Amino acid sequence: MPPRKEAAGSAGVHAIVGADTYRAEQALEALLSSWLGDDRADSVQVLRGDETSWGRVLEAARTGSLFASRRAVVVRGADALKGEGDELAVYLKDPSPDARLVFLALKPDKRRTVWRRLLDAAEVHSAEPLKGQAARRYVADEVRRRKLALREDAFEELFERVGQDLRRLMGELDKLEAFADGRAGPLGPEEVSAVLGRGLAQPLYRIADAFTARRRAELLSLMETVLEEGEPPLKVLATLHYAARRVRAARALRDARMPREALAGRLGVPPFKVPDLLEAARAWSDAELAAAVAALSEADRRVKTGVDARDALTAAVVEATRKERGAGTTPAPRSAR
């Protein structure tokens, strides 16, 4: 196997930095695979930062093996390595050509000279948690790589049910992949829901959608379900506040005649949800939105002062979804239709 091409100045040293354990393990696997291949017997030495020192790590990197022409020294929890690490400067001037050093750290202390020196010299791989659209792109790429056929609303169901935990998302994709094997056509949201069962949290986006569309009976039913299953009342309130803000933003962007293709990114929703959101936003007046926000704020105050959460939330939902007498709808500008 030909040697792996190293980044300029890396001296065969790598740092995987960040709190996402899934991304960290993926980066580590890629490094070991590219340097050692699949047969790694006697080639990988794993040390723990809280059990060793910088000097011991560098000694391990310099110590050759009778059984392997290439080696990797992996330091897990490298944030906790003991000592000042003065030996690192010497090692970087004359690194071991047959060894690769890989440090995994959650949040290295860049105030320390040893970490500044290491990060300057190493090839750094980010393992920071992905959020928002970055997480969605990552999962979407994985869905395409697996050739897993999911409808757009099914993908949304997956993401909203599981959240942004990549490790759990990959596990759920494994389940969906097995379920889809031999089936014709893409999976829909109902099938995704049936396969996944209850995720890390109830899909609160359904509460937001019901609020936005003022489907009061559905909203009250969903709210009762999530509260029974342990969702914190203040989290439900936060979801309702978010829905109200999204309606207000949709009305403002619509009135500004923003092209529909730009609305999804500005509103933070999948493109397929834009038409429904714009249609729902037309049914709200500014006065109704203001009254809804006031009702939700009052519920927040009541819950925090000890009033029964269900009673406070129910009263807020009834008041927030009330329509003005004689209120009509405001036609959408042509560009938003």
Side-chain angles (χ1 to χ4, degrees), residues 80-221:
L81 276 168
K82 299 176 175 64
E84 295 302 316
D86 295 335
E87 306 92 334
L88 181 64
V90 177
Y91 179 86
L92 292 174
K93 291 178 181 177
D94 183 24
S96 177
D98 67 341
R100 292 297 176 264
L101 268 171
V102 186
F103 297 86
L104 285 84
L106 293 178
K107 191 175 181 180
D109 187 352
K110 296 178 183 179
R111 296 171 300 178
R112 297 183 60 195
T113 300
V114 64
W115 275 109
R116 290 199 302 271
R117 182 175 289 141
L118 173 62
L119 295 175
D120 284 344
E123 186 175 347
V124 179
H125 310 262
S126 174
E128 293 298 337
L130 297 177
K131 300 293 184 184
Q133 291 303 315
R136 290 177 181 272
R137 284 192 296 271
Y138 188 100
V139 177
D141 288 344
E142 182 64 18
V143 168
R144 284 191 290 270
R145 187 188 70 78
R146 296 177 183 229
K147 298 181 179 178
L148 178 60
L150 291 180
R151 283 170 29 193
E152 192 171 16
D153 51 357
F155 177 83
E156 186 70 12
E157 180 76 11
L158 164 70
F159 211 90
E160 293 290 351
R161 274 189 171 272
V162 179
Q164 301 186 37
D165 185 319
L166 288 184
R167 185 179 297 281
R168 181 172 172 82
L169 279 163
M170 296 305 112
E172 300 298 353
L173 286 182
D174 290 341
K175 291 161 60 176
L176 289 171
E177 198 171 16
F179 177 81
D181 187 32
R183 290 177 176 266
L187 300 181
E190 296 82 7
E191 293 163 307
V192 169
S193 177
V195 172
L196 300 189
R198 185 167 185 255
L200 291 178
Q202 281 293 321
L204 291 173
Y205 75 95
R206 289 182 175 176
I207 285 181
D209 287 349
F211 176 89
T212 299
R214 291 170 131 171
R215 298 191 296 266
R216 181 187 292 172
E218 178 185 348
L219 176 53
L220 290 171
S221 176

Side-chain angles (χ1 to χ4, degrees), residues 214 248 251 284-294 320 322 324 327:
R214 291 170 131 171
R248 181 174 288 166
R251 286 172 55 80
W284 290 85
S285 69
D286 290 339
E288 288 169 336
L289 273 173
V293 170
R322 190 188 308 279
E324 286 182 325

Side-chain angles (χ1 to χ4, degrees), residues 260-311:
R260 178 171 291 182
E261 57 270 18
L263 285 172
R266 291 291 299 273
L267 293 172
V269 299
F272 75 89
K273 280 195 172 185
V274 170
D276 289 342
L277 180 55
L278 288 175
E279 184 64 27
R282 293 178 62 210
W284 290 85
S285 69
D286 290 339
E288 288 169 336
L289 273 173
V293 170
L296 296 174
S297 297
E298 174 62 13
D300 182 77
R301 184 194 66 78
R302 294 181 68 199
V303 170
K304 290 177 179 177
T305 54
V307 173
D308 181 81
R310 278 180 171 77
D311 290 346

Side-chain angles (χ1 to χ4, degrees), residues 10 23 32 146 158:
S10 70
R23 293 190 70 200
L32 295 179
R146 296 177 183 229
L158 164 70

